[in-house]
Amino acid sequence: MADTKKLFIKTYGCQMNVYDSERMAESLGAGGYTQTDAVEDADMILLNTCHIREKAAEKIYSELGRFKGLKAENPDLKIGVAGCVAQAEGEEIMRRQPMVDLVVGPQTYHRLPDLMEKVEAGQKALDTDFPEEDKFDHLTTRPKADRGPTAFLTVQEGCDKFCAFCVVPYTRGAEVSRPVDRILTEARDLVERGVREITLLGQNVNAYHGAGVDGEYTLAKLIWALNDIDGLARIRFTTSHPNDMDDALIAAHGECEKLMPYLHLPVQSGSDRILKRMNRNHTAESYLRLIERIRAARPDILLSGDFIVGFPEETDADFADTMALIEEVRYGQAYSFKYSTRPGTPAAEREQVDPDVASERLQVMQALLTRQQREIQDEMIGKTVDVLFEKPGRLEGQMGGKSSHLHAVHVTGANVSRGDIRPVRITKSEPNSLGGEVVGG
Ligand code: 5AD
Ligand code: SF4
């Protein structure tokens, strides 16, 4: 029965994969699939994968191994691999796991209906092209009716920067910006469905340069256009490269009322020697001066970053430089990773750091980052912050949401609903969240 087929999607990695999984679910939904959370009920299992570090990629193979039993029980079960592992490994996936029916890379999701036709006819389907046509022109972008108050919206995809450690330019391809009218239409649709906060996504989102009816738009200009949408309360964007933070975007942080005071601005390392080897095209000093300018525009902005330890040839002195940069910036949120060798990237060929040394550096760095994060959280105690409520908390009568600074905040026993934005006085700081009371009940 075509209308009762069940689709199980599991999403790994970044927020863009979350967005893509929604698009794929819509596309497959048009083909008669409804989503299920129970993998054992599925007629189709789709893994939307991440290739950024070795561990993430290997996880896919062990996950696929676990589906062997399911396929034995239900020979009609179809298994698909999408995302960056699909793009990077292609046919190799079917060689290692012959039960895989479908391999589809991020730039060909709009071809899913045709690929599924093949799969349902019992054939294997593989598509890892970088096609000329724009997948967004063909993918439905109709948001789900029952969605929560926050949503992601991809505005830019791919990367031309080629940092020496990174697979993204190879898996997601060259930088492409979606046209302004498409983005605004999608944003208005989301708002009509109850969305109050939109996070604009792109691997290099601040390099956005989309076509508008009145010429090319930068990210700042796009944000100002979104700012005019009634009912939309909050705008965020991620992830940015320091070299693409232009004056207008910095100014928007001070002037654009809906743009939230939070910025994820990865620096990766605080050593100029390593930054050069990483092909980052900026120095520690230029990054620090940039942070100064952003803070001048928006003094209370909360900064978040990504760091890699153990990049090839990283010495103790290089690591100390990174620690010094972290001390100087004070991050409210951070993601730190041990360097992972990615086949095909320039850094993979170089002399690797002893993994034990890298692990030790990671621990030291994470201790500092956790301390900073906690201190910044603790400083919120006694302050009143606006919270967008998203869902019930773990405890009875609890509601949780996010502050403007993206802190998770929970309140208990308050009369608030999903989608409300209310002032909350912060009374406590816990390891990864804040607690408080809604001002005025
Ligand atoms: N090893 C470790 N971390 C990596 N990242 C990207 N590539 C690698 C790699 N090969 C990290 C960077 C990037 C984040 C998304 O993942 O810090 O900003
Ligand atoms: Fe990867 Fe560097 Fe591009 Fe970010 S900017 S996606 S780290 S190559």
CSV table of all heavy atoms in Angstrom, one decimal, residues 100 265 370:
chain,number,residue,atom,x,y,z
A,100,VAL,N,23.1,-1.6,1.2
A,100,VAL,CA,22.7,-0.2,1.0
A,100,VAL,C,22.1,-0.1,-0.5
A,100,VAL,O,22.7,-0.6,-1.4
A,100,VAL,CB,23.9,0.7,1.2
A,100,VAL,CG1,23.5,2.1,0.7
A,100,VAL,CG2,24.3,0.8,2.6
A,265,LEU,N,32.0,32.4,15.7
A,265,LEU,CA,33.1,32.9,14.8
A,265,LEU,C,34.3,32.0,15.0
A,265,LEU,O,35.2,32.4,15.8
A,265,LEU,CB,33.3,34.4,15.0
A,265,LEU,CG,34.1,35.1,14.0
A,265,LEU,CD1,33.4,35.1,12.6
A,265,LEU,CD2,34.3,36.5,14.4
A,370,THR,N,35.2,25.4,29.4
A,370,THR,CA,34.1,25.1,30.3
A,370,THR,C,34.0,26.2,31.4
A,370,THR,O,33.0,26.6,31.8
A,370,THR,CB,34.2,23.7,30.9
A,370,THR,OG1,34.4,22.8,29.8
A,370,THR,CG2,33.0,23.3,31.7
